[in-house]
Amino acid sequence: MAPQPQSKSKLIAENRRARFDYFLEDNIEAGIQLLGTEIKALRDGRANIAESYAAVEGREIVLINADIPPYKQANRFNHEPRRPRKLLLHRKQIDRLIGAVQRDGQTIIPLKLYLNDAGKAKLEIALAKGKKLHDKREASAERDWQRDKARLMRDKG
């Protein structure tokens, strides 16, 4: 079997808790409108999207509460670490997301923040519905069973 070609995308931040807290439906890749010091901080590999979400403001989608720490060499021209950042999407995608949020009560959750092959910052977002406590317990039990099953298979054969 031939080896898979490696993409040069660099993962900066991942929201690992999203799969535990939400039922994820549509994954969409979005660009982010950034300032110069923000992209430099991202290239250093420093960001946090764990508590962030995307909200509708007018006819735009905005990333709220994503933390991109200040760039050390930027002195007084630095950016605000938790400022709202506009997401760059096609109009049809924006309209579909706005409809899902307003009609169905879904949430837009960021999953991954990365630099693509061309060096541009991209954000993978997903439409999500919140899980109830019993759903989280069920997912936890399923994960534990998969781990135990893998351990048994490894030990026995």
Side-chain angles (χ1 to χ4, degrees):
M1 195 154 99
Q4 294 286 338
Q6 287 289 329
S7 67
K8 297 178 202 159
S9 64
K10 177 186 173 192
L11 184 65
I12 298 166
E14 187 175 15
N15 189 353
R16 296 181 62 191
R17 189 134 177 100
R19 295 191 199 305
F20 182 73
D21 288 337
Y22 299 96
F23 292 114
L24 303 177
E25 292 175 11
D26 283 344
N27 286 15
I28 300 170
E29 181 184 70
I32 316 169
Q33 191 174 27
L34 295 172
L35 299 173
T37 55
E38 289 174 326
I39 191 69
K40 288 181 178 204
L42 287 180
R43 287 199 175 118
D44 280 349
R46 300 172 58 224
N48 184 7
I49 58 169
E51 300 114 26
S52 62
Y53 61 96
V56 176
E57 286 187 7
R59 294 197 56 185
E60 296 178 346
I61 308 287
V62 179
L63 182 65
I64 308 285
N65 209 22
D67 184 33
I68 300 176
Y71 183 59
K72 285 191 174 29
Q73 288 84 5
N75 61 41
R76 66 175 186 204
F77 299 108
N78 234 319
H79 61 274
E80 176 77 26
R82 288 191 180 261
R83 75 176 184 87
R85 295 168 180 91
K86 180 180 171 183
L87 295 184
L88 308 173
L89 294 158
H90 294 286
R91 174 56 51 199
K92 285 185 178 179
Q93 291 174 322
I94 292 173
D95 291 339
R96 194 175 82 230
L97 290 172
I98 289 173
V101 167
Q102 290 175 346
R103 231 185 4 261
D104 305 335
Q106 294 182 322
T107 310
I108 305 170
I109 299 293
L111 301 177
K112 291 181 192 169
L113 179 62
Y114 59 93
L115 296 173
N116 69 0
D117 297 340
K120 302 224 188 309
K122 298 292 182 180
L123 184 71
E124 185 178 323
I125 58 175
L127 276 172
K129 283 188 177 175
K131 284 186 180 179
K132 303 280 191 263
L133 186 59
H134 61 86
D135 294 326
K136 291 180 187 178
R137 278 195 212 112
E138 191 175 300
S140 211
E142 177 68 24
R143 192 175 56 238
D144 291 345
W145 165 240
Q146 292 298 332
R147 192 180 310 120
D148 290 344
K149 187 167 69 170
R151 189 179 302 127
L152 287 170
M153 294 297 282
R154 189 180 63 235
D155 293 344
K156 297 273 189 211

